[in-house]
Amino acid sequence: MLVTLVLAGAIAGAGPATGHPATVPECAGLDQLRIPASAMSLPTTGGRVTSTSVRTSVLSGMTITYCQVDASISPVDPSAPGITMRVALPHGWNRQAMMFGGGGYNGTIPDLTANVPFGPADQPVPLARRYAMFASDSGHQQNPAVPPSLDGSFGANDEALHNFAAGDALKKTRDASLFLIRHAYRAKPAEVYFAGGSTGGREALVAQRWPEAFDGVISAYPAWNNLSEALYLGHLTQVLAQPGAFPGVEKQKLLYDSVINACDGLDGVRDNVISNERGCHFDPRTLRCPGGVDAGTGCLSDAQVTAVTAMSTSFEWPYRIASGETGYPGFPFLSGADMRTPFLGFGTTPPADPMPVTSGYGMQYWNQWVKYFLTRDPGHSALAVDPRDPGKWRDRISHLSTIQDRNNVDLRPFARAGGKLILLHGAADELVSHRSTSDYFQRVQQKLGAHSTGTFLRYYLVPGANHANVGAPAFAAGWDSLSALERWVRKGQAPVRPIVTDASHARTRPLCEFPYWPHYRAGDPGAASSFACTR
């Protein structure tokens, strides 16, 4: 499937591409190497390697030697920030390459020695498998004074905005990295893969703008409809900012424990995991304080019941936007979302102006979006924009939707090129709604048909898994999706009855294709063989 995207002049500058590929990269020869603009299919003014170094790391119990190449890609707009990128070129290269996606607003280069999202603890990370790894900061650099991945200030520049939100930086980084890989090893990769979660999961789906760029893709908990979720987060910000509406950490735990107590056994076993999420119908009014007035940590006031209900209810805006999106399905807070990680959920303090760093991640994300994407006024209050009635900002929202929500569910070009896609989401995700990912998958099925979709796409919903295994999740998901993807891409063998491991509790479950979920039958509740996928 992989096609060579560099032009003849770039190929000539990359060294010989015939004969046997090298297994040890030519590291020193890459230092200060110019990356011509012609090596990239999207507009840039070229790039340059800024440094190289030979490194040795112990990864997955193995000593791995690799060449780290740091480089930058220069923008077309002189006022735009450049793209900072990194490539890790292992000794004993396996003739394959992988790009990692970012998180939040990006702004830093992902760790190329890390694992894929929801990766297994007992299998080598990609670099230890001798993948050539690469990634970038998506075209802007994080302000260290802002919490990590929450600096949206780059959005004031159009080129930087398109690099991040439309995915332009993905393609530029991919093309430049393949140029360097080809130069280092005197050969192009046999396959190129992409893996990312959250924003990286969205990037994995955005990458389908170029259906021949990646042979295989792992997209985990993807924030694929970025603007739609931003509007929803803005709605929640306004709800939680109302007097008395914010439930403190103790009340968040009360809510979580109450939902688990009510719904845990619906899958046939009590194990602190809600597998039958769609069967869970918890009413927060059962926690209502007498008279609806806040009476302490053991109950919810009327204002808090309203706020909690809003967080688990779909939000629709009463106006048209250019992307065609009409709403966001809401977070599953009343069906098992992990509310024990407040930073990714409600936060520990209510949203306000200025926005506290102790408010929820989503509320801080909205704050940055309003200031730099929407109004481009750092002094503008995020609480002053109502997503239900944005007034003069409505046209700007519509325009941004064409940049941020441009994921095309027609994946036929990707499928025709031989691409394979593994889609993963935790049913207890507290930051990106798994309902939204299910919506994406169902749209693909409606467009292509269930049979055609199944030839190249698998979607797995992992009960009990939260966002990126943060904190101490009920189910710390780990599955060797990379080996499964390799077999699918290289041998045409689709995943068959995969098993996911809970690293925190030494148990396994069948990894069920959506809309199926694991139902306990009999036997050891810690063994996948005791469960059957049902719907």
Side-chain angles (χ1 to χ4, degrees):
M1 166 189 166
L2 180 64
V3 294
T4 303
L5 294 173
V6 291
L7 301 179
I11 293 175
T18 59
H20 297 289
T23 58
V24 176
E26 298 176 359
C27 194
L30 297 176
D31 194 26
Q32 303 304 313
L33 180 69
R34 187 177 68 87
I35 305 171
S38 59
M40 290 161 278
S41 65
L42 296 179
T44 72
T45 53
R48 184 173 293 278
V49 173
T50 56
S51 68
T52 62
S53 60
V54 177
R55 303 193 171 205
T56 300
S57 299
V58 177
L59 304 175
S60 304
M62 295 178 281
T63 301
I64 306 299
T65 300
Y66 62 97
C67 172
Q68 178 171 300
V69 183
D70 290 307
S72 61
I73 301 173
S74 300
V76 175
D77 175 5
S79 67
I83 299 171
T84 303
M85 55 175 283
R86 178 170 294 155
V87 184
L89 305 169
H91 291 205
W93 182 43
N94 67 0
R95 290 293 309 279
Q96 299 181 98
M98 172 172 284
M99 182 175 186
F100 273 170
Y105 281 119
N106 292 340
T108 57
I109 300 173
D111 180 4
L112 297 183
T113 68
N115 211 341
V116 301
F118 285 162
D122 60 348
Q123 295 295 323
V125 300
L127 185 56
R129 302 185 194 207
R130 274 49 174 209
Y131 271 82
M133 304 295 298
F134 60 94
S136 77
D137 59 8
S138 82
H140 57 274
Q141 292 72 53
Q142 162 84 31
N143 180 349
V146 178
S149 75
L150 279 170
D151 178 12
S153 60
F154 66 92
N157 179 276
D158 282 343
E159 185 171 346
L161 177 63
H162 279 78
N163 275 335
F164 167 80
D168 289 3
L170 302 175
K171 189 60 165 55
K172 297 171 185 178
T173 301
R174 184 260 188 202
D175 292 349
S177 298
L178 262 62
F179 173 86
L180 295 175
I181 291 170
R182 185 182 180 91
H183 197 285
Y185 292 114
R186 302 192 302 276
K188 68 180 182 180
E191 292 91 24
V192 181
Y193 298 89
F194 189 102
S198 196
T199 288
R202 174 183 66 82
E203 291 168 338
L205 300 179
V206 169
Q208 307 320 308
R209 286 178 58 195
W210 307 280
E212 295 184 325
F214 297 97
D215 300 273
V217 174
I218 298 170
S219 174
Y221 33 95
W224 67 273
N225 44 356
N226 189 230
L227 178 133
S228 297
E229 183 172 6
L231 293 178
Y232 186 72
L233 293 171
H235 170 62
L236 300 186
T237 299
Q238 293 216 330
V239 169
L240 291 172
Q242 296 301 310
F246 181 80
V249 174
E250 296 86 354
K251 298 199 180 200
Q252 294 171 37
K253 183 179 185 302
L254 168 69
L255 182 60
Y256 176 81
D257 291 343
S258 299
V259 173
I260 292 292
N261 184 61
C263 299
D264 183 11
L266 296 176
D267 54 9
V269 64
R270 285 197 168 271
D271 55 2
N272 291 319
V273 172
I274 298 174
S275 295
N276 184 9
E277 182 264 323
R278 291 185 301 280
C280 178
H281 304 291
F282 180 79
D283 187 347
R285 289 176 295 183
T286 60
L287 299 177
R288 182 175 182 265
C289 298
V293 178
D294 197 336
T297 59
C299 60
L300 300 178
S301 68
D302 282 345
Q304 290 161 352
V305 168
T306 298
V308 166
T309 302
M311 295 198 79
S312 61
T313 305
S314 62
F315 171 62
E316 297 180 357
W317 38 89
Y319 50 91
R320 293 180 60 85
I321 58 177
S323 68
E325 296 298 315
T326 60
Y328 192 78
F331 296 108
F333 278 95
L334 303 188
S335 51
D338 197 338
M339 289 167 281
R340 296 171 300 167
T341 51
F343 177 62
L344 294 180
F346 287 93
T348 58
T349 58
D353 183 28
M355 191 66 65
V357 296
T358 48
S359 60
Y361 187 100
M363 292 77 207
Q364 295 183 62
Y365 194 97
W366 164 256
N367 180 61
Q368 294 287 300
W369 186 83
V370 168
K371 293 180 182 299
Y372 299 108
F373 283 46
L374 184 63
T375 68
R376 290 181 162 173
D377 175 5
H380 202 287
S381 170
L383 296 179
V385 177
D386 184 354
R388 294 163 297 187
D389 183 16
K392 67 179 183 178
W393 303 114
R394 179 171 162 177
D395 287 345
R396 175 67 178 169
I397 288 173
S398 185
H399 170 69
L400 287 170
S401 77
T402 65
I403 303 171
Q404 294 182 255
D405 286 355
R406 63 186 302 170
N407 282 280
N408 184 0
V409 297
D410 187 354
L411 300 182
R412 285 176 293 189
F414 176 69
R416 283 195 297 266
K420 302 294 186 274
L421 169 60
I422 290 177
L423 193 57
L424 296 161
H425 211 127
D429 196 309
E430 63 278 61
L431 181 59
V432 176
S433 174
H434 74 264
R435 297 172 182 170
S436 182
T437 301
S438 300
D439 177 37
Y440 176 87
F441 174 72
Q442 290 166 328
R443 293 191 199 188
V444 174
Q445 281 194 323
Q446 290 168 3
K447 186 72 175 180
L448 278 65
H451 175 74
S452 295
T453 300
T455 64
F456 72 95
L457 170 59
R458 291 289 187 275
Y459 171 37
Y460 303 102
L461 189 61
V462 188
N466 70 355
H467 194 81
N469 284 338
V470 171
F475 195 96
W479 175 49
D480 191 2
S481 56
L482 179 52
S483 291
L485 187 62
E486 287 175 341
R487 289 190 293 269
W488 203 3
V489 169
R490 307 191 81 180
K491 301 179 180 179
Q493 299 174 359
V496 177
R497 294 186 294 276
I499 293 175
V500 62
T501 298
D502 176 5
S504 296
H505 303 93
R507 57 185 173 179
T508 58
R509 292 286 186 273
L511 192 57
C512 301
E513 291 185 48
F514 178 85
Y516 291 84
W517 49 271
H519 186 274
Y520 177 73
R521 298 180 301 177
D524 179 5
S529 58
S530 301
F531 293 77
C533 292
T534 188
R535 60 183 298 178

